Amino acid sequence: MIHIYRKTFYSHYYYSSSIRYAILSFKNQGNVNAMKFLAKICIKDIAEVFEKTESDALAYVPSYDRPHMRDFAFLIAEKLHLPLWHGIIKIKNTKSLCECTDDKERYQTAYDSYQIITNKAPRTTLILDNVITTGATLSVITNLLENNQIHVH
């Protein structure tokens, strides 16, 4: 459990060794085997959180130019028979948050970069992201969803 910007986020794995390698291979190179490996180890944890929260859908943090997170979320949702909500899009091609010098710059870079594109939004949702560093992206997306009456677990 991580507390960031007065919000609580859950991270199930420490970003090191094989997890880090798999995430980078999946995220930067589109490595399907790395994606399947990550999905396999995450499925049980995501299913447990989904059951406890009674969310209506699984959402994901979208990328401006890489469909990998969508593909990963689809794989998770399919294996767990969960509804996948594609209602969030990234509308700005920002610099990578790892290029930012501090938490404030990360938040400002992510701020106003996402939009909800559908009226058929779930009442409650879980958000799936591949890496939580400072929580800026999740905080921005959580605020966007909550400002549109979508409760985030």
Side-chain angles (χ1 to χ4, degrees):
M1 190 177 339
I2 303 166
H3 300 285
I4 304 169
Y5 301 112
R6 288 177 260 159
K7 299 192 183 303
T8 302
F9 301 105
Y10 296 89
S11 177
H12 292 278
Y13 301 97
Y14 186 68
Y15 187 61
S16 68
S17 63
S18 61
I19 297 294
R20 182 172 192 230
Y21 176 77
I23 289 173
L24 291 175
S25 293
F26 149 65
K27 187 175 177 180
N28 296 334
Q29 299 162 5
N31 184 322
V32 174
N33 290 329
M35 179 178 68
K36 288 178 180 178
F37 166 76
L38 289 167
K40 184 177 180 179
I41 64 173
C42 294
I43 283 174
K44 182 180 177 213
D45 294 329
I46 294 169
E48 287 176 10
V49 172
F50 196 83
E51 279 183 26
K52 288 178 189 174
T53 62
E54 299 179 6
S55 295
D56 297 326
L58 176 66
Y60 57 94
V61 175
S63 173
Y64 188 78
D65 59 352
R66 297 179 190 158
H68 308 317
M69 199 59 200
R70 179 199 64 215
D71 296 344
F72 178 68
F74 178 79
L75 186 61
I76 296 286
E78 183 180 59
K79 289 207 179 277
L80 296 175
H81 308 289
L82 303 176
L84 181 61
W85 182 56
H86 301 278
I88 307 166
I89 61 167
K90 188 166 185 185
I91 57 173
K92 290 183 185 175
N93 190 10
T94 60
K95 69 179 178 181
S96 173
L97 295 187
C98 61
E99 297 174 21
C100 297
T101 56
D102 60 24
D103 294 359
K104 185 177 180 182
E105 184 182 1
R106 281 176 180 261
Y107 187 85
Q108 289 172 335
T109 301
Y111 185 77
D112 217 20
S113 295
Y114 299 91
Q115 176 179 310
I116 295 174
I117 60 164
T118 180
N119 292 333
K120 296 180 181 180
R123 194 176 39 81
T124 61
T125 188
L126 290 177
I127 303 172
L128 183 63
D129 198 358
N130 56 2
V131 176
I132 301 173
T133 305
T134 63
T137 303
L138 284 174
S139 184
V140 165
I141 288 178
T142 298
N143 288 336
L144 172 67
L145 294 173
E146 290 177 347
N147 288 340
N148 284 276
Q149 289 74 47
I150 303 167
H151 184 72
V152 177
H153 290 289

